[in-house]
Amino acid sequence: MNHGEKLFHRVHRHEPPVSSLPIEIIYEDEDIVVVNKPSSIPVHPCGRYRHNSVLFILAKEKGWKELFLIHRLDRLTSGLLILAKSSKVASKYGIQMEERLFQKVYLAKVKGKFPSEEQDVNQPIQVNIACKGVNSVKEDGKQSRTIFNLVSYNEKSDTSIVKCEPKTGRTHQIRVHLQWLGHPIVNDPLYGTEGKKVSASDVSQEEKEEKDNDCPFCSNPHLDPEEEQLSLYLHALSYQSVEWKY
């Protein structure tokens, strides 16, 4: 470079769209906030998501500038999320979670007629694609256990509503165990194929970079996401300990 010349570097990044559904406040006191998280919104800033995250939205709309995570939900999973108003409270709840004093209940809509008998799945889970956080059942994985019970079966659509009770907290645990059982969640973009080992080519289109025709630096049009890219038929229904229930 010569004297007087300037070098510019431009970061070109688009934040993916999320659901416009509001984050409903279920319960609030001086220690915690319990919200109903819509599907598609990540809990905290990660990857290409920043402003479109639960923590950022609550800070902007409710003025809660400092909320601390007690647990997490997958971006596509909807349902109850408990947030602490201080690190001390988060630590207290975190210890309860580590000691497995939480009783967590989810509901899932899965493919096929789920067995009427209780399914106690105790299968280890290991990361399959590290860069995407995709997991699968493997013998040398981390110990993981989920209990499943049939709630109802719809013969017309050949789908079942299943009650899911994870006893450990591995990433995508419910989704992986349901796939292993041969009854994956109906619209799961990663684990929606019965018994199939997930590969990099299976990662949903919503994970790929998109272009925006309203941006002067994009050459291809931006397409609005399809409904299945913003939702997953998995809902965090309730959390309970010996002291409280939500």
Side-chain angles (χ1 to χ4, degrees):
M1 294 185 63
N2 298 319
H3 181 70
E5 292 182 333
K6 295 181 180 179
L7 179 65
F8 292 92
H9 173 71
R10 178 183 292 114
V11 176
H12 180 212
R13 181 178 298 165
H14 291 275
E15 188 155 343
V18 297
S19 170
S20 61
L21 291 174
I23 299 174
E24 182 184 1
I25 309 301
I26 303 298
Y27 175 80
E28 180 196 357
D29 61 23
E30 64 274 11
D31 292 327
I32 64 169
V33 177
V34 182
V35 303
N36 182 16
K37 184 187 88 68
S39 182
S40 81
I41 304 178
V43 173
H44 56 82
C46 59
R48 294 184 293 146
Y49 296 88
R50 184 171 176 81
H51 296 279
N52 290 342
S53 63
V54 172
L55 293 184
F56 261 64
I57 293 172
L58 291 179
K60 182 177 181 181
E61 296 183 354
K62 302 294 184 179
W64 292 324
K65 302 297 184 181
E66 286 196 8
L67 290 176
F68 299 82
L69 297 180
I70 293 173
H71 66 104
R72 292 175 174 82
L73 290 178
D74 293 343
R75 183 178 66 82
L76 290 179
T77 302
S78 62
L80 294 187
L81 177 68
I82 307 174
L83 300 166
K85 292 185 176 180
S86 70
S87 58
K88 183 178 180 180
V89 173
S91 177
K92 173 187 172 183
Y93 277 74
I95 291 173
Q96 293 182 21
M97 180 167 289
E98 289 176 4
E99 295 178 352
R100 299 180 183 176
L101 300 178
F102 273 28
Q103 183 179 352
K104 299 175 283 186
V105 176
Y106 293 71
L107 288 180
K109 183 178 181 181
V110 305
K111 296 180 181 179
K113 187 173 183 179
F114 199 82
S116 57
E117 304 81 12
E118 180 175 277
Q119 302 294 301
D120 191 341
V121 179
N122 199 340
Q123 293 293 328
I125 292 177
Q126 190 177 70
V127 175
N128 187 28
I129 306 174
C131 65
K132 294 296 182 181
V134 178
N135 295 342
S136 62
V137 170
K138 289 186 178 180
E139 291 184 1
D140 54 347
K142 295 182 178 180
Q143 189 267 335
S144 308
R145 182 184 177 215
T146 315
I147 297 175
F148 300 98
N149 283 280
L150 175 66
V151 175
S152 64
Y153 172 66
N154 187 315
E155 186 175 359
K156 184 176 181 180
S157 62
D158 191 30
T159 59
S160 301
I161 301 299
V162 178
K163 177 183 176 183
C164 317
E165 298 178 75
K167 301 303 180 181
T168 52
R170 311 303 176 200
T171 300
H172 299 172
Q173 177 176 312
I174 293 174
R175 300 163 68 181
V176 172
H177 278 170
L178 283 171
Q179 185 201 38
W180 182 84
L181 283 172
H183 296 279
I185 294 174
V186 169
N187 62 341
D188 195 325
L190 294 181
Y191 306 100
T193 304
E194 297 90 333
K196 178 183 176 184
K197 183 178 180 180
V198 180
S199 65
S201 61
D202 294 320
V203 176
S204 173
Q205 179 67 31
E206 54 90 16
E207 296 289 347
K208 299 179 182 178
E209 198 71 40
E210 295 177 342
K211 306 297 182 182
D212 190 340
N213 61 345
D214 294 323
C215 173
F217 308 111
C218 281
S219 57
N220 298 323
H222 167 82
L223 300 177
D224 288 335
E226 300 293 335
E227 181 180 356
E228 59 268 20
Q229 293 176 303
L230 295 178
S231 64
L232 180 70
Y233 294 147
L234 179 63
H235 182 80
L237 181 66
S238 67
Y239 295 92
Q240 182 177 352
S241 77
V242 294
E243 300 177 353
W244 47 261
K245 180 180 180 180
Y246 304 111

